[in-house]
Amino acid sequence: MSTVAEFSIEHHQFLNEDNELSPSAPPFAKDFTQLIGLYGIMVLTRLFDGKAVNMQRVGKMGTFPSSYGQEAVFAAIGHCMTADDVLCPYYRDYAAMLQRGVKMSEILNYWGGDERGSNYQAGIEDFPLCVPIATQCLHATGVAFAFKHRSEPRVSLATLGDGATSKGDFYEALNLAGDWQLPTVFVVNNNQWAISVPRSIQTGAETLAQKGIAAGMPVVQVDGNDIIAMVHVLNEAMERARSGKGPTLIEAVTFRLCDHTTADDAKRYIPQDEYDEAKLKEPILRLRNYLHSNGQWDENKEKALLDKCKSDVESSVQEYLATPLQAASDLFDYLYEELPESLSEQRQEALEFAQTQGAAHE
């Protein structure tokens, strides 16, 4: 008997929850200008998240999935991507989207049931938020194939949750990306819970990162609450893809400190002791303590940031609430080149009903 292959999974962490910086930390750990910028994005995202949840609770928006406790993963993604890259997100990517020019009001419109929210005005080619599980992974491989076919130094990046790694779409996308050596990066936000199913019974794999080994790509696990480590591994993966060396799978280990969506009640299945322990390791607190300890942050700066973020969120909310309703005819006008007769009749009935409702509210 002989061993034909052996593999190992590296875990990256440079800044731990005790505010201790590893001697092996990259130079980025002392780039406080960029770290403060990332801190601001994470704080803005958290305040935006909280406002969106409150709006859903009072009936001003539909179901909303928060990214509370996972902000560093998406802040790092937005930081490391270039304007020419393409993001194929799932549904917690707000910190990345905001850095790529997507407006908060556009995100609110999407979750408010208005698909015009996906028509980003920033001029980017990013895909819209993806609610179906893992299908965005296949989209990312298709985009990456186009980049390679055109010899363009661009990268597609797909995000997904831990539960998505159990889907066939995920495995098919990895197999194709590895076989064709496509310029794409897969980032698994392992927040420990696929709705109410814990990571421990989702899969028999010891790590989620190792699922990329069979596809023939480099894999890495990273502390998803450590913004320094996240930026480090993402920069390496993006550069690898951009230089023609193929895909990478990154498992970012975090913890969902919120309900799966506003239609969920996580208190019914997340043990309180696990939640309390995870909250001590959350990314915003960790980075704030690090900036404080290095003389880069204080209470006055914190207050100024919070005031600015709250003002920006409120302005975006008002922009969302002031968005004119879509015409009832839009339900029909974007389905077929030429509507069937039965739908033409329904279209007319919908217009008449909409006019009646409008008159009733005057």
Side-chain angles (χ1 to χ4, degrees), residues 206-226:
E206 188 173 355
T207 69
L208 300 182
Q210 71 196 64
K211 295 189 175 190
I213 292 175
M217 65 181 67
V219 301
V220 62
Q221 186 186 80
V222 59
D223 181 349
N225 293 334
D226 176 2

Side-chain angles (χ1 to χ4, degrees), residues 139-149 154-156 177 182-185:
H139 302 158
T141 57
V143 171
F145 174 78
F147 292 162
K148 185 170 184 176
H149 181 69
R154 304 169 68 187
V155 180
S156 68
L182 299 178
T184 188
V185 176

Side-chain angles (χ1 to χ4, degrees), residues 168-232:
D169 310 68
F170 168 75
Y171 287 104
E172 292 167 13
L174 259 62
N175 186 64
L176 185 64
D179 186 27
W180 290 0
Q181 290 294 282
L182 299 178
T184 188
V185 176
F186 301 94
V187 180
V188 179
N189 175 33
N190 179 6
N191 63 23
Q192 311 303 319
W193 294 91
I195 308 185
S196 60
V197 180
R199 158 73 181 85
S200 59
I201 62 174
Q202 286 181 52
T203 176
E206 188 173 355
T207 69
L208 300 182
Q210 71 196 64
K211 295 189 175 190
I213 292 175
M217 65 181 67
V219 301
V220 62
Q221 186 186 80
V222 59
D223 181 349
N225 293 334
D226 176 2
I227 189 68
I228 297 169
M230 280 300 310
V231 168
H232 177 73

Side-chain angles (χ1 to χ4, degrees), residues 69-248:
Q70 305 143 80
E71 294 90 352
V73 175
F74 305 108
I77 289 171
H79 178 81
C80 294
M81 295 182 73
T82 70
D84 289 334
D85 296 330
V86 170
L87 177 64
C88 296
Y90 76 130
Y91 43 78
R92 302 189 197 277
D93 297 55
Y94 314 123
M97 296 168 72
L98 295 177
Q99 290 178 87
R100 295 182 60 72
V102 178
K103 298 166 61 177
M104 284 182 278
S105 59
E106 291 174 327
I107 299 172
L108 292 173
N109 271 318
Y110 174 85
W111 292 115
D114 190 335
E115 286 292 346
R116 291 175 298 178
S118 297
N119 184 23
Y120 308 136
Q121 301 304 301
I124 52 178
E125 296 181 307
D126 291 357
F127 279 45
L129 290 163
C130 187
V131 175
I133 305 301
T135 55
Q136 71 277 14
C137 300
L138 292 167
H139 302 158
T141 57
V143 171
F145 174 78
F147 292 162
K148 185 170 184 176
H149 181 69
R150 299 171 184 168
S151 299
E152 296 175 347
R154 304 169 68 187
V155 180
S156 68
L157 187 148
T159 62
L160 58 147
D162 43 292
T165 67
S166 297
K167 292 295 294 291
D169 310 68
F170 168 75
Y171 287 104
E172 292 167 13
L174 259 62
N175 186 64
L176 185 64
D179 186 27
W180 290 0
Q181 290 294 282
L182 299 178
T184 188
V185 176
F186 301 94
V187 180
V188 179
N189 175 33
N190 179 6
N191 63 23
Q192 311 303 319
W193 294 91
I195 308 185
S196 60
V197 180
R199 158 73 181 85
S200 59
I201 62 174
Q202 286 181 52
T203 176
E206 188 173 355
T207 69
L208 300 182
Q210 71 196 64
K211 295 189 175 190
I213 292 175
M217 65 181 67
V219 301
V220 62
Q221 186 186 80
V222 59
D223 181 349
N225 293 334
D226 176 2
I227 189 68
I228 297 169
M230 280 300 310
V231 168
H232 177 73
V233 299
L234 274 163
N235 275 336
E236 287 190 342
M238 297 294 286
E239 178 55 33
R240 186 175 186 280
R242 205 179 308 282
S243 60
K245 296 179 181 177
T248 301

